[in-house]
Amino acid sequence: MNQVDACVAVIHQIASGFVPQVSIVLGSGLGTFADQVEDVASISFDELPGFPQAGVGGHAGRLVLGEVQGTQVAVLQGRAHYYEQGQADVMAVAIQTLKALGCEALVLTNAAGSMVTKAGPGSVMMITDHINMTGVSPLFGAQGNQRFLDLSQAYHPKLNDAMRSAAKANNVTLHEGVYAWMCGPNFETPAEIRALKILGVQAVGMSTVPEVILARHQGMPLCALSIVTNYAAGISPIPLSHEQTITYAKMATDGVERLLTGFLHSYKAVT
Ligand code: HPA
C-alpha cells in the first residue's frame, strides 16, 4: 500500500465516511482556528505515514476533521517547510491524501512579511499570484505530461471572489498581493526585499507555494491568505524574529478566523 492509501485507511478507520469539502492549512501561530471545528476526529500527523512531523514552534501537527458553519472541513494544524530538510515535496502525501478523501477545495494560510505600508503587522493579504524564488519545485521527479503544470490561474478566481465577499460581510480588511516564496530559514536581506519590490512582490514568506503547486497538480482549486506578521527586512527598524511572527500572527487571529468562518458559511464548490 502506498502512503496516501495508508493515510486514507487510517482516516477512514477513525472517521468512517467523512468527506471534507474544504481543507484548510493553518500556518505559524494560526492553529487556534481548529478550535472552531465541531470535530468528528482529531488525528496526530504521527499516525499518518508521510505526513510531516510537527516542526516549527506554533505547529501542532494534527489533522482535525469536522464541520464549520455547515461545511465539512479537514484542517491541517501545521505544515512542514522546504527549509526543514531541503525537501520541496514534503507536503506531497498530505495534499494527495486530502484529494483522495474527496476534498474539493483548499485554503492555505501562512505568516508573511509585507512590503506594503498600508498592510502592516496584524493585517491579512490574499495571495493573487506568486513568484517562486527558490529554484526548486515539489514536482521534481514527477512523471507524465501533467508535471508541465499550468499556473496561469493558480489561485482560483471564484474562490478569491468568495474570500473577498466573506471579508466584506464580516468587516475584515483584505489586502491583496503577489507572494514571493523564499527558501528560508533565514529572513531576507534589505537588498533582497528591494529587489523583490522591483519584481512586483507585496508579501514574502517561506511556505505555501509548494502546496499550491502540489494541489494544482492534483487538480484542486485553491486560495491563499497571508497573515502579515512584520514589515519585510529593511522597511522597519524592528529586527525580524520567529517570536515576532508568532506574536503578530496571534494578533491577526480574530480577523482571520472571522474571514475563514464567513468563507465556510457561504462556501459553494467551484468548477
Ligand atoms: N520573510 C519571510 N518569511 C516570513 C516573514 C518575512 O519577513 N515573516 C513571516 N514569515
Side-chain angles (χ1 to χ4, degrees):
M1 204 192 286
N2 69 32
Q3 286 185 312
V4 174
D5 292 342
C7 290
V8 170
V10 169
I11 292 163
H12 281 164
Q13 219 166 38
I14 297 170
S16 133
F18 184 82
V19 179
Q21 295 166 278
V22 178
S23 181
I24 302 171
V25 177
L26 299 175
S28 299
L30 292 170
T32 54
F33 178 73
D35 300 341
Q36 310 261 330
V37 182
E38 293 168 41
D39 53 326
V40 169
S42 173
I43 306 170
S44 164
F45 287 174
D46 296 340
E47 295 181 54
L48 300 167
F51 267 58
Q53 301 311 299
V56 176
H59 282 191
R62 245 192 320 259
L63 176 66
V64 179
L65 307 173
E67 190 175 306
V68 176
Q69 298 280 318
T71 298
Q72 306 301 306
V73 295
V75 177
L76 269 77
Q77 231 180 345
R79 62 149 64 81
H81 303 83
Y82 172 55
Y83 60 71
E84 291 171 45
Q85 306 287 336
Q87 192 192 336
D89 66 351
V90 61
M91 291 294 284
V93 169
I95 299 290
Q96 287 166 24
T97 299
L98 296 172
K99 173 71 181 177
L101 288 172
C103 185
E104 294 164 357
L106 184 62
V107 179
L108 299 160
T109 68
N110 65 32
S114 167
M115 275 95 132
V116 182
T117 311
K118 65 178 204 277
S123 62
V124 188
M125 193 185 292
M126 183 166 71
I127 301 176
T128 54
D129 204 348
H130 72 237
I131 300 182
N132 177 356
M133 296 298 293
T134 65
V136 298
S137 167
L139 300 184
F140 282 175
Q143 300 296 312
N145 286 350
Q146 288 209 358
R147 72 185 127 162
F148 303 109
L149 181 66
D150 177 17
L151 290 175
S152 50
Q153 283 200 321
Y155 302 82
H156 199 289
K158 286 186 186 164
L159 293 177
N160 290 350
D161 276 345
M163 200 58 86
R164 290 182 188 108
S165 301
K168 227 179 208 167
N170 294 281
N171 273 318
V172 178
T173 303
L174 185 60
H175 302 276
E176 297 191 14
V178 172
Y179 174 89
W181 176 31
M182 304 296 279
C183 71
N186 53 278
F187 288 104
E188 299 71 34
T189 64
E192 285 167 341
I193 296 301
R194 285 195 300 275
L196 291 173
K197 258 186 159 174
I198 293 167
L199 294 178
V201 170
Q202 281 81 42
V204 60
M206 307 174 192
S207 69
T208 307
V209 169
E211 292 113 278
V212 167
I213 295 170
L214 289 164
R216 292 307 303 136
H217 189 235
Q218 295 296 311
M220 281 168 86
L222 61 92
C223 65
L225 299 172
S226 279
I227 305 345
V228 175
T229 54
N230 55 279
Y231 285 116
I235 295 177
S236 135
I238 303 168
L240 303 183
S241 69
H242 189 61
E243 291 68 30
Q244 181 188 33
T245 299
I246 299 296
T247 304
Y248 280 91
K250 288 202 170 117
M251 264 180 55
T253 299
D254 181 53
V256 182
E257 291 193 357
R258 275 188 292 129
L259 186 54
L260 291 173
T261 307
F263 175 85
L264 294 170
H265 178 74
S266 313
Y267 170 74
K268 281 185 197 64
V270 297
T271 43

